[in-house]
Amino acid sequence: MANTETALKEALTTIEGATGVALVDYTSGMALGTMGGSKTFDLNVAAAGNTDVIRAKMRTMEHLGLNAEIEDILITLSDQYHLIRLLTGRGGNGLFLYLVLESNRANLAMARHQLKRIEADLEV
């Protein structure tokens, strides 16, 4: 079992192309922990903004009558991937991992796989 700091550090150091990672509470929009980012990329602002993405998707699924669970949400930019992974186990309800990747250095399939593994080991 990994704590928040260990999980964030693992994501940032082992996922190729990762430039930032956060654990976020999507009910409040607050980041419970962040690692990486830059002066021009504030992970706290991005984390808060991505709570709106999750809420919108959940509302849409409810209106459509879909009973499936969101595993992850991918946003592709011209030079970045933003990966949002909702936590499902061990008290993770209402939380998500947010990962920022440089698209020219990242292997998206591997990043998804590694983030899923990190999520499984995370104890909140």
Side-chain angles (χ1 to χ4, degrees), residues 17-67:
T19 61
V21 62
L23 177 65
V24 186
D25 178 343
Y26 66 78
T27 57
S28 69
M30 292 190 63
L32 305 177
T34 63
M35 200 165 282
S38 67
K39 290 180 182 179
T40 59
F41 192 90
D42 187 331
L43 278 167
N44 288 301
V45 172
N50 280 304
T51 62
D52 293 335
V53 172
I54 292 172
R55 291 177 191 154
K57 186 59 185 173
M58 289 181 156
R59 276 193 309 274
T60 302
M61 289 174 60
E62 184 179 329
H63 292 316
L64 292 171
L66 299 176
N67 293 322

Side-chain angles (χ1 to χ4, degrees), residues 45-96:
V45 172
N50 280 304
T51 62
D52 293 335
V53 172
I54 292 172
R55 291 177 191 154
K57 186 59 185 173
M58 289 181 156
R59 276 193 309 274
T60 302
M61 289 174 60
E62 184 179 329
H63 292 316
L64 292 171
L66 299 176
N67 293 322
E69 292 182 12
I70 299 171
E71 286 186 20
D72 51 39
I73 297 170
L74 172 64
I75 300 168
T76 59
L77 305 178
S78 59
D79 61 348
Q80 294 177 335
Y81 296 134
H82 293 221
L83 188 56
I84 299 166
R85 178 155 187 92
L86 277 67
L87 273 62
T88 57
R90 286 192 276 295
N93 193 25
L95 302 178
F96 68 92

Side-chain angles (χ1 to χ4, degrees), residues 6-19 21 35 99 105 114 118:
T6 302
L8 295 179
K9 186 179 287 185
E10 182 179 355
L12 194 60
T13 60
T14 65
I15 299 175
E16 187 155 353
T19 61
V21 62
M35 200 165 282
L99 181 66
R105 291 184 41 228
Q114 289 174 284
I118 290 167

